[in-house]
Amino acid sequence: MLYPPHDTGPVPFRDHPGEEFLFVHHGQAELLFPARSLTLGPGDSAYFKATTPHKVRSLGTERAAVLLLVCDDRDRAETPHPHLP
């Protein structure tokens, strides 16, 4: 779970290999990209390539509760958890 701050201030946009899925469990969040932003409420989700620079912040009076799933799609010779499919 991610509880993003209200003010992203000097926090830079992040990008990395893989894909991301965000699901807003509680509150409101804003998913920011350099050229666009999305406002997400409870039950809303977003799925995107993580190579796109991005950051997220809470909107409203309380911090949002956001489920964040990251899939790293880099090719690896061996997996860090070989017991998982």
Side-chain angles (χ1 to χ4, degrees):
M1 290 298 285
L2 175 68
Y3 302 93
H6 286 89
D7 181 18
T8 59
V11 175
F13 285 96
R14 307 276 183 192
D15 64 276
H16 51 86
E19 300 171 2
E20 286 196 23
F21 174 79
L22 282 87
F23 175 84
V24 179
H25 177 69
H26 173 79
Q28 276 197 315
E30 183 176 32
L31 178 57
L32 299 143
F33 301 104
R36 160 178 197 191
S37 67
L38 299 171
T39 300
L40 305 169
D44 290 340
S45 63
Y47 177 77
F48 59 95
K49 293 293 276 180
T51 53
T52 303
H54 59 282
K55 58 185 173 179
V56 63
R57 70 180 184 128
S58 291
L59 299 175
T61 57
E62 295 182 30
R63 279 189 168 195
V66 178
L67 175 65
L68 173 65
L69 301 173
V70 179
C71 176
D72 182 352
D73 64 0
R74 291 181 285 187
D75 293 331
R76 295 184 183 211
E78 63 183 66
T79 64
H81 306 288
H83 61 283
L84 296 175

